[in-house]
Amino acid sequence: QIHSDAWTQQVKRVLQLKSRQPSDAEIIEEATKLKVSRIGKSHRGRGLNQIVNAVTNEFRGSLIIYSNAGCYTVTNQVSLHDFKTSILGTLIAWRIPLKNPEENCHAESYNQCSN
């Protein structure tokens, strides 16, 4: 319960900086920055942040997270969008290139690179 309270307080602190009720998209964005689980388990709470970093930084891909009525998209920049209705859940989708243009490596054979 302590970790859950800390997580809740951290989210509230960040979102209370705004003078209005945060949108679902803003809540998703803040959740991608947190590294603590809402339920307080020590082995939980890092996944979403790790997914965003791996897809966008390591693989140079793009990511979309739909949750409730919000949408958080990362391509070259972050964009937020809110819809009028909720999807009543969360959907995470990512796209990564099969070929790394800087290294000329193909996803089919990680150890073989052409020069």
Side-chain angles (χ1 to χ4, degrees):
Q1 184 66 20
I2 294 171
H3 293 288
S4 179
D5 291 340
W7 182 86
T8 302
Q9 291 305 317
Q10 186 175 1
V11 170
K12 284 182 181 179
R13 213 173 24 255
V14 171
L15 296 177
Q16 283 176 352
L17 296 174
K18 302 180 184 294
S19 62
R20 58 179 173 71
Q21 177 68 27
S23 70
D24 285 344
E26 291 169 325
I27 292 170
I28 299 167
E29 180 179 36
E30 292 306 321
T32 65
K33 297 174 185 176
L34 295 176
K35 295 181 182 177
V36 63
S37 170
R38 178 181 55 83
I39 60 172
K41 302 279 186 180
S42 62
H43 65 284
R44 304 278 306 265
R46 293 176 204 69
L48 190 56
N49 180 270
Q50 288 176 339
I51 290 170
V52 171
N53 286 330
V55 169
T56 59
N57 296 330
E58 293 177 36
F59 295 109
R60 294 184 180 98
S62 60
L63 175 91
I64 300 174
I65 302 172
Y66 293 97
S67 187
N68 294 324
C71 178
Y72 169 85
T73 304
V74 183
T75 50
N76 293 331
Q77 62 185 10
V78 172
S79 68
L80 306 176
H81 185 78
D82 283 287
F83 300 96
K84 292 181 181 179
T85 58
S86 172
I87 64 168
L88 303 175
T90 300
L91 175 67
I92 302 172
W94 59 83
R95 180 177 168 179
I96 57 173
L98 292 178
K99 180 179 177 183
N100 184 338
E102 292 178 8
E103 298 175 5
N104 291 327
C105 293
H106 297 274
E108 296 81 18
S109 61
Y110 293 104
N111 298 321
Q112 294 181 356
C113 297
S114 61
N115 292 328

